[in-house]
């Protein structure tokens, strides 16, 4: 691993309307410019809203946190993060994840009923959303869009 590929953990503190409380999540990031405190997110957020992989963020060292603390998003990547909750135990979670992989989306399993999709900027979200809506209508999943990029928002606006 070269110096430019050095990874760091960044701490995100946020209020979750889903859980109705303050939460903390730590994401991996690559150094972009440490002098300016810039890092590129290198992991799929499970819960953090408004953050996606490859976003460039500013983080500063916080003594109380004993680590890098998120300050702001400097450059959005255009990627989106979609949370998916399986509603039917009859459908294997892996099958759901494979259906979205076939549409070009990476995902990470959070638990046996919950996974998070990464929709990269070059994937047509209208196609992904159509599949999500179809599965939701069938009672297979429910989903949320905690980080929907402008690119993907435009693809699904009427």
């Amino acid at each position: 691993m070269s110096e430019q590929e050095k990874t760091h953990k960044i701490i995100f503190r946020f209020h979750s309307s889903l859980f109705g409380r303050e939460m903390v999540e730590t994401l991996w990031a690559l150094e972009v410019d440490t002098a300016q405190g810039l890092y590129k997110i290198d992991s799929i957020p499970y819960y953090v809203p408004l953050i996606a992989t490859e976003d460039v963020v500013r983080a500063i060292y916080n003594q109380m946190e004993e680590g890098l603390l998120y300050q702001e998003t400097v450059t959005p990547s255009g990627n989106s993060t979609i949370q998916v909750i399986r509603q039917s135990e009859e459908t294997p979670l892996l099958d759901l994840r494979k259906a979205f992989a076939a549409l070009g989306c990476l995902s990470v399993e959070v638990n046996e009923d919950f996974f998070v999709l990464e929709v990269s900027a070059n994937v047509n979200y209208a196609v992904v959303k159509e599949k999500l809506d179809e599965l939701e209508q069938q009672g297979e999943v429910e989903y949320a869009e905690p980080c929907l990029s402008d690119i993907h928002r435009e693809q699904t606006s009427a």
Side-chain angles (χ1 to χ4, degrees):
M1 180 181 294
S2 72
E3 280 300 310
Q4 294 171 333
E5 295 176 329
K6 189 173 180 187
T7 58
H8 296 272
K9 289 182 179 180
I10 297 180
I11 302 162
F12 290 78
R13 293 193 163 279
F14 58 97
H15 179 81
S16 170
S17 54
L18 178 67
F19 293 102
R21 63 182 166 93
E22 296 300 310
M23 294 187 61
V24 177
E25 183 173 354
T26 303
L27 300 177
W28 287 103
L30 300 171
E31 284 182 6
V32 173
D33 184 338
T34 49
Q36 292 189 34
L38 300 179
Y39 302 87
K40 184 186 287 190
I41 301 300
D42 194 39
S43 56
I44 300 173
Y46 294 174
Y47 303 106
V48 178
L50 307 175
I51 296 292
T53 54
E54 298 182 6
D55 286 357
V56 175
V57 301
R58 185 178 320 281
I60 58 170
Y61 184 80
N62 182 290
Q63 284 187 315
M64 287 184 62
E65 299 283 355
E66 296 182 349
L68 292 169
L69 186 62
Y70 169 79
Q71 301 298 302
E72 66 178 331
T73 300
V74 176
T75 309
S77 62
N79 296 341
S80 294
T81 304
I82 311 300
Q83 299 167 330
V84 183
I85 300 172
R86 178 177 68 156
Q87 297 298 303
S88 171
E89 290 185 14
E90 294 174 17
T91 305
L93 194 70
L94 185 57
D95 289 356
L96 293 170
R97 292 179 62 205
K98 284 180 179 178
F100 291 103
L103 300 176
C105 300
L106 295 176
S107 67
V108 61
E109 182 177 332
V110 179
N111 64 41
E112 62 193 26
D113 292 315
F114 177 48
F115 65 99
V116 181
L117 286 177
E118 172 193 73
V119 185
S120 66
N122 63 356
V123 169
N124 184 347
Y125 183 60
V127 174
V128 175
K129 184 169 177 53
E130 185 177 311
K131 183 68 172 173
L132 286 164
D133 289 342
E134 173 189 319
L135 289 168
E136 191 170 60
Q137 287 177 338
Q138 294 170 355
E140 297 288 328
V141 303
E142 286 186 8
Y143 71 95
E145 301 167 324
C147 181
L148 191 60
S149 72
D150 290 342
I151 294 166
H152 293 139
R153 193 176 315 279
E154 288 175 17
Q155 291 172 344
T156 57
S157 63

